[in-house]
Amino acid sequence: MTDHNSGSAADLALHPFEALTPEFIMDAVEELGYLCDGVIFPLNSYENRVYQVGIEEQPPLIAKFYRPHRWSEAQILEEHALCYEMEEYELPVVAPWRDESGRSLFQRGDFWFALYPRRGGRAPEFDDLDNLLILGRFLGRMHAIGAKMPFVHRPVLNSQTYGHASVALLREDFIPRDLRPAYETLSRDVLKLVDEAMAESTTLIRVHGDCHAGNVLWRDNTPNFVDFDDARMAPAVQDIWMLLSGDRDSQQRQLCEVVEGYNEFYDFHPRELRQIEALRTLRIMHYSAWLARRWADPAFPRAFPWFNTERYWSEHILELREQFAALQEPSLRLL
């Protein structure tokens, strides 16, 4: 196993995000006509860098600096355009700020960045079935809009990009040598089942892509959806399965509640239910590969010190074994 936990401070300091000093951030915001009050709070974000920036005599703004070279300008603008479409239909999404000429994406140095209004709220309680009914209604409305047209520039969530590519990266340079035979055999068997599930005919639409509790702010009995950074073409169930938790019976009840609200605005296709465990498996694989790809970012060793240890990979293999079993079980169903 290559020691990816090593590296001198000088090496880590070369990462592009090191350029995001308070002065850099304030200069970027003030170039758009605001006057900063000097108060900047980093928010919980690793893929990009997000800050709450104080503004003189106005509410603070959220400044999001995109990770260099991850998305093209066209891909980011498609993310913004989806938010504006939903906003036009009075959906509670937090869309980027636009200047007088209608621009929402700006550049400073090597960074694309956008500003957002600050929106308060708390994480929703997914074990409350009434909340899930409400979430289902809003997701149905969002997907009715997402189905109107495809993304042109943003990618598709599939087993190749999230599964096979992740396994190829980890197998070559991260899995410990003594665990590699077990990982190779298991990942091959798991991906065979994932490929079969993902190959089933389903409609791909524009989805949020990362619809977990951290990206939903509950306020005034309404879910406010934030952070469309992972928006892409995918089956609609991608935005539904992350709302489910607990044992199988609990997930069954939760699913029925979500879909009841969802179907009021957009038809859910039950054939997508078989893809829930496949999508969960792909997320597990992609998450480990994401940590591996980002390890040169100094924020990652600090935030995830347990990554790339013998214990981490043993637990990862165990998790894949559990998913291999789950992929062979009957899928959840609508009662």
Side-chain angles (χ1 to χ4, degrees):
M1 176 173 59
T2 303
D3 183 8
H4 292 273
N5 292 308
S6 64
S8 68
D11 292 335
L12 294 176
L14 296 175
H15 195 273
F17 280 136
E18 294 295 314
L20 291 176
T21 63
E23 293 78 12
F24 185 101
I25 296 166
M26 289 190 292
D27 286 346
V29 172
E30 291 187 341
E31 284 180 358
L32 301 181
Y34 289 97
L35 181 60
C36 299
D37 65 9
V39 179
I40 299 176
F41 292 113
L43 301 181
N44 187 24
S45 177
Y46 297 105
E47 183 61 18
N48 306 296
R49 292 295 187 270
V50 183
Y51 305 90
Q52 178 176 297
V53 181
I55 305 297
E56 291 283 357
E57 300 182 357
Q58 295 185 55
L61 290 171
I62 306 301
K64 174 180 178 180
F65 291 83
Y66 288 85
R67 179 175 291 272
H69 313 302
R70 181 182 181 223
W71 296 123
S72 68
E73 178 183 12
Q75 288 171 324
I76 298 174
L77 289 175
E78 278 194 322
E79 170 205 338
H80 293 188
L82 178 60
C83 292
Y84 296 133
E85 282 183 70
M86 294 182 179
E87 199 174 49
E88 288 175 5
Y89 285 87
E90 299 182 346
L91 279 162
V93 302
V94 181
W97 171 84
R98 287 184 277 194
D99 67 11
E100 293 180 353
S101 65
R103 291 188 306 157
S104 61
L105 185 63
F106 310 93
Q107 190 169 22
R108 181 172 178 80
D110 294 331
F111 297 97
W112 291 109
F113 74 98
L115 301 181
Y116 291 81
R118 185 182 64 172
R119 189 73 55 86
R122 56 179 173 81
E125 297 175 3
F126 285 170
D127 56 353
D128 185 324
L129 295 183
D130 289 338
N131 288 351
L132 290 174
L133 180 68
I134 294 170
L135 277 163
R137 287 171 178 156
F138 280 107
L139 279 178
R141 292 175 60 194
M142 289 170 61
H143 286 180
I145 296 166
K148 287 180 178 292
M149 65 179 71
F151 281 133
V152 175
H153 302 286
R154 294 183 79 83
V156 175
L157 195 167
N158 57 34
S159 59
Q160 180 57 46
T161 55
Y162 266 50
H164 291 275
S166 297
V167 167
L169 170 71
L170 298 176
R171 182 182 59 224
E172 290 302 314
D173 206 23
F174 285 86
I175 303 296
R177 185 174 291 105
D178 58 332
L179 295 176
R180 195 169 299 166
Y183 178 79
E184 290 178 347
T185 301
L186 178 61
S187 60
R188 181 175 61 248
D189 293 343
V190 167
L191 283 173
K192 183 177 183 295
L193 296 179
V194 169
D195 288 342
E196 291 172 359
M198 297 300 293
E200 292 193 4
S201 177
T202 54
T203 301
L204 301 182
I205 64 173
R206 295 174 297 170
V207 301
H208 182 286
D210 196 24
C211 198
H212 58 77
N215 285 332
V216 182
L217 300 177
W218 201 264
R219 183 177 182 179
D220 299 327
N221 211 33
T222 299
N224 292 269
F225 296 87
V226 302
D227 194 5
F228 281 73
D229 194 64
D230 280 307
R232 61 194 65 221
M233 299 296 294
V237 74
Q238 170 63 14
D239 280 350
I240 292 175
W241 75 262
M242 275 185 273
L243 306 179
L244 313 179
S245 61
D247 59 24
R248 183 180 177 86
D249 288 341
S250 296
Q251 291 189 43
Q252 185 71 70
R253 290 192 297 272
Q254 294 161 3
L255 173 69
C256 291
E257 205 71 22
V258 171
V259 173
E260 180 182 343
Y262 187 94
N263 281 335
E264 293 179 22
F265 297 95
Y266 189 67
D267 291 334
F268 178 75
H269 301 292
R271 64 179 176 271
E272 293 187 18
L273 293 176
R274 189 176 173 226
Q275 296 181 333
I276 288 178
E277 291 305 328
L279 289 165
R280 194 193 311 275
T281 304
L282 290 175
R283 186 173 178 85
I284 290 168
M285 291 177 161
H286 183 260
Y287 178 74
S288 290
W290 173 68
L291 291 174
R293 292 187 180 100
R294 299 293 184 250
W295 204 242
D297 181 336
F300 278 68
R302 290 196 299 266
F304 310 102
W306 35 259
F307 173 70
N308 206 35
T309 62
E310 194 91 13
R311 178 176 179 179
Y312 174 83
W313 292 118
S314 295
E315 291 177 350
H316 179 66
I317 289 172
L318 176 60
E319 194 172 21
L320 290 181
R321 287 198 177 108
E322 293 171 348
Q323 283 306 115
F324 183 63
L327 285 161
Q328 298 176 79
E329 294 178 358
S331 60
L332 298 175
R333 56 195 178 91
L334 299 177
L335 303 178

